[in-house]
Amino acid sequence: MKNVLKLEEIAMFALSIYLFSFLDFDWWWYLVLFFLPDVSFVAYAVNSKIGAYAYNILHHKGIMILSYFLGIYFQNETLQMVGLVFFGHSSFDRILGYGLKYEDSFNNTHLGKIGKEK
């Protein structure tokens, strides 16, 4: 099942790249913005609860899909780009095993514990 989920995430990552190709932005924008959601790690300096909230907001696929569709509705390609790139980033993270965070620890995710032998 783990491999099936990874394949699904790979498909979503590829979808974000494909849809980005229809926007009027240079490809370097995708690369520059790709790791921006990881700025949320800074919130873990406050505490793990705030860190988890910040991480989850910037890595929640539903929020990114909403951003993309709001960009379509308002004809705002910047909003579409942010939604697509952050969606792609979230899929990439999940390919690597990094899921949404629980409040108790950065390593405790909806995909299981990070670093735990499987």
Side-chain angles (χ1 to χ4, degrees), residues 14-55:
L15 177 64
S16 76
I17 293 170
Y18 174 72
L19 291 174
F20 183 87
S21 72
F22 292 103
L23 300 178
D24 289 328
F25 291 98
D26 292 327
W27 280 102
W28 63 266
W29 278 105
Y30 195 97
L31 298 173
V32 167
L33 295 175
F34 188 75
F35 290 105
L36 191 58
D38 288 339
V39 169
S40 62
F41 292 150
V42 174
Y44 275 94
V46 177
N47 64 44
S48 62
K49 183 176 182 178
I50 300 295
Y53 286 149
Y55 182 94

Side-chain angles (χ1 to χ4, degrees), residues 1 80 95 117:
M1 186 57 67
Q80 291 176 51
I95 292 166
E117 291 297 318

